[in-house]
Amino acid sequence: MLVRDAMSTVVLTIGPAHPLRQAARLMAARRVGAAVVHDPDTCGLGILTERDILNAVGAGLDPDREKAAAHTTTDVVFAAPSWTLEEAATAMTHGGFRHLIVLDGDGPVGVVSVRDIIRCWSPVRRHPAELAG
């Protein structure tokens, strides 16, 4: 199976000046665990994850004053839609992260997470409520 088959095509893109609280609200509303941070001044892409926000809040930082730029990972490993899920999982394992921005052509076309890969590899795809019961 390929990354294009597993990735989420809901790509939340924010700017580096977004406050963490606003980023968290947008991520929650779209039910995604990461936002692509596009910095038009550097033409670079980074990633802000739910864990980045949690670490900032846990450290006592004010999510209304803290900007995404201060918590964005800019040394990003990108995936191609044609990668296998094994290639994506290997990149995540070696890098110690849980999300990959998927690039095709000029920009991001998706995000693939560890959860997406597990969902594809799981032999049983039941509703979470069934598993809790």
Side-chain angles (χ1 to χ4, degrees), residues 3-121:
V3 165
R4 76 170 49 92
D5 303 317
M7 71 183 190
S8 169
T9 57
V10 176
V11 180
L12 172 60
T13 303
I14 64 172
H18 271 77
L20 291 184
R21 185 180 308 277
Q22 183 182 21
R25 282 185 182 140
L26 292 168
M27 290 164 65
R30 287 167 179 79
R31 300 178 49 89
V32 297
V36 174
V37 181
H38 178 251
D39 188 342
D41 293 333
T42 66
C43 294
L45 293 177
I47 191 165
L48 178 73
T49 68
E50 56 198 358
R51 183 166 288 177
D52 296 326
I53 295 169
L54 183 65
N55 287 338
V57 171
L61 301 175
D62 182 349
D64 293 312
R65 294 187 186 274
E66 286 296 309
K67 303 300 181 199
H71 304 279
T72 297
T73 300
T74 55
D75 184 20
V76 179
V77 175
F78 298 100
S82 60
W83 278 18
T84 65
L85 293 186
E86 290 83 5
E87 289 172 306
T90 298
M92 290 177 186
T93 301
H94 286 296
F97 44 82
R98 300 180 304 161
H99 297 86
L100 284 169
I101 300 171
V102 183
L103 292 182
D104 191 16
D106 293 335
V109 294
V111 175
V112 66
S113 70
V114 169
R115 182 175 297 175
D116 296 327
I117 293 172
I118 290 171
R119 193 175 300 123
C120 289
W121 284 348

